[in-house]
Amino acid sequence: MKITKIRTFLVHPGQEKNWLFVKVETDEGIFGWGECYTQADRDRAIEIYVQELSRYLIARSPFNIKHFTFMAYHDFANKRGAMDLYCAISGIEQALWDIVGKALNTPVYNLLGGACRDKIRVYANGWGAQTIEACAERAAQLVEQGFNAMKFDPFPGAWRTHLSREDEASAIECVRAVRDAVGPDVELLIEVHRRLAPMHAIRIAHELEEFNPFWYEEPVSARNVDALAEVRRAVNLPVVTGEELYTKGEFREVFEKNAADILNPDVCNCGGILELKEIAAMAEPYFVTMAPHNYNSTTVGLAATLQACAVMPNFLITEYFVNFTACGNEISVNPIQVEDGYVQLPTGAGLGLELDEAALAHHPYRELPTRHLREFYEEGP
């Protein structure tokens, strides 16, 4: 079997981002789907990476997955990694696994050591609102829909390394309102988006303790692992990091410095399914658990995430964007379903999910609004 063509599909789901899908075709009629992480206006740049990387695969076997990812970094990138590169690699890598699973008529997880569980726990994201009252109301609705864990960013204001006292008080009140709305048994996952300096992250964490958060996600940037480790030592909440790290090489220092309790790398940008599995394997002897990030569609990206999560003994929970459900169901031949906060492990060959190309055509790429570069003296969010 040889690869004959690699195609890309940029799709706008009607939300705040575009989705980028990859289809790898072979001379035996078997094809595979993958998805690349997208963010802001980098979609077309990532698409070009996919197209250029395809020259390393045409007329080659789709089974040689590890060789492709190794050469993509060492030869194509000359050991100079970057987010856009890893997004492209990840999408192609998933598609190759999809082909291999279909060729062997088995789910991908059976090729990676076999399943450790028959269902995957998910938490709801993508449901936030503009006011504290609306957040509380929406959170209660998620509980009615069967979710028992939900993530949100309660912090108002611009992306800066400190918060005003007013912003800090507003964040605490938002968490209080959501906790009151959902009760004590629903898990609240607090997102910080890497925006704080250690001193502020530590102080706010202590204020949040009374609400018993499930975790404290990216209080500071993992690009300064010493600062992250400082926060972890000083707080009584589980610290999460990994969303901004790519490949297992970038996680090494997190383990060595005991900087996190939970990791959340994303299968669509960390290097793919096998890379995510290898990061999880590195985490095991450090007693670190895995909660893969998934700011992707509820289709291929989620399907690839499920395959990787299935084989992790140290898996905890993964992400599901509720605001992407409608479009995801429309473009999927066999949509993934969430029931009572879980997704049943797919049993179909490959990733266990197919896309409808005709439906994809109904959601063409849309350029996003220009992002405003706010000056330090400007007010507002």
Side-chain angles (χ1 to χ4, degrees), residues 37-195:
Y37 181 87
T38 54
Q39 182 174 304
D41 288 311
R42 306 173 80 150
D43 319 328
R44 287 175 294 183
I46 297 168
E47 184 179 34
I48 291 172
Y49 268 100
V50 173
Q51 293 165 353
E52 292 300 317
L53 282 166
S54 69
R55 298 187 298 122
Y56 281 69
L57 289 168
I58 300 301
R60 296 183 179 274
S61 170
F63 280 74
N64 298 335
I65 298 172
K66 188 66 175 183
H67 184 257
F68 161 69
T69 58
F70 181 87
M71 294 303 294
Y73 174 70
H74 287 81
D75 189 76
F76 177 82
N78 198 16
K79 296 185 179 181
R80 296 181 179 93
M83 174 182 167
D84 296 354
L85 169 72
Y86 295 130
C87 292
I89 291 173
S90 299
I92 296 172
E93 194 260 11
Q94 295 165 28
L96 297 179
W97 278 113
D98 195 23
I99 290 172
V100 171
K102 290 173 179 174
L104 300 176
N105 194 31
T106 191
V108 170
Y109 56 77
N110 281 340
L111 306 175
L112 298 172
C116 295
R117 56 192 56 81
D118 60 5
K119 61 182 180 180
I120 305 296
R121 190 182 186 192
V122 300
Y123 62 84
N125 201 355
W127 55 273
Q130 295 298 314
T131 66
I132 292 175
E133 294 76 14
C135 275
E137 181 179 352
R138 185 74 181 103
Q141 292 171 353
L142 290 173
V143 175
E144 293 177 0
Q145 295 170 22
F147 287 98
N148 52 36
M150 56 189 70
K151 185 169 80 176
F152 63 109
D153 183 341
F155 299 97
W159 293 74
R160 51 183 180 259
T161 57
H162 69 280
L163 297 174
S164 68
R165 289 293 186 179
E166 292 78 12
D167 286 345
E168 184 176 325
S170 177
I172 299 302
E173 287 310 305
C174 182
V175 177
R176 185 189 308 277
V178 172
R179 172 57 76 199
D180 289 344
V182 302
D185 298 326
V186 174
E187 304 291 5
L188 300 185
L189 290 62
I190 307 302
E191 169 75 88
V192 191
H193 279 124
R194 311 174 292 282
R195 74 176 74 186

Side-chain angles (χ1 to χ4, degrees), residues 241-381:
T241 199
E243 177 181 339
E244 64 175 326
L245 301 176
Y246 314 109
T247 76
K248 54 186 173 291
E250 294 195 5
F251 283 86
R252 175 185 55 80
E253 192 177 6
V254 174
F255 298 126
E256 292 174 347
K257 295 183 177 181
N258 295 312
D261 303 282
I262 303 166
L263 299 182
N264 69 334
D266 193 308
V267 75
C268 292
N269 66 28
C270 76
I273 294 172
L274 184 57
E275 194 72 18
L276 180 55
K277 176 187 182 297
E278 292 180 349
I279 293 167
M282 289 175 67
E284 285 185 62
Y286 290 92
F287 310 109
V288 173
T289 55
M290 297 294 295
H293 182 264
N294 184 39
Y295 182 38
N296 309 298
S297 76
T298 54
T299 65
V300 180
L302 177 59
T305 301
L306 298 176
Q307 299 292 329
C309 292
V311 302
M312 299 176 187
N314 52 340
F315 169 74
L316 179 63
I317 197 169
T318 194
E319 188 166 22
Y320 181 89
F321 269 78
V322 294
N323 57 327
F324 292 160
T325 300
C327 186
N329 288 349
E330 180 184 343
I331 65 175
S332 298
V333 175
N334 48 338
I336 295 170
Q337 303 295 327
V338 179
E339 296 183 7
D340 297 326
Y342 287 86
V343 176
Q344 291 295 318
L345 200 59
T347 58
L351 297 182
L353 179 137
E354 300 292 345
L355 295 181
D356 182 338
E357 291 188 38
L360 294 178
H362 293 152
H363 297 273
Y365 168 79
R366 186 181 304 172
E367 188 173 275
L368 301 177
T370 301
R371 296 171 70 88
H372 178 50
L373 299 178
R374 188 174 301 283
E375 299 291 347
F376 70 91
Y377 52 80
E378 294 182 277
E379 299 297 328

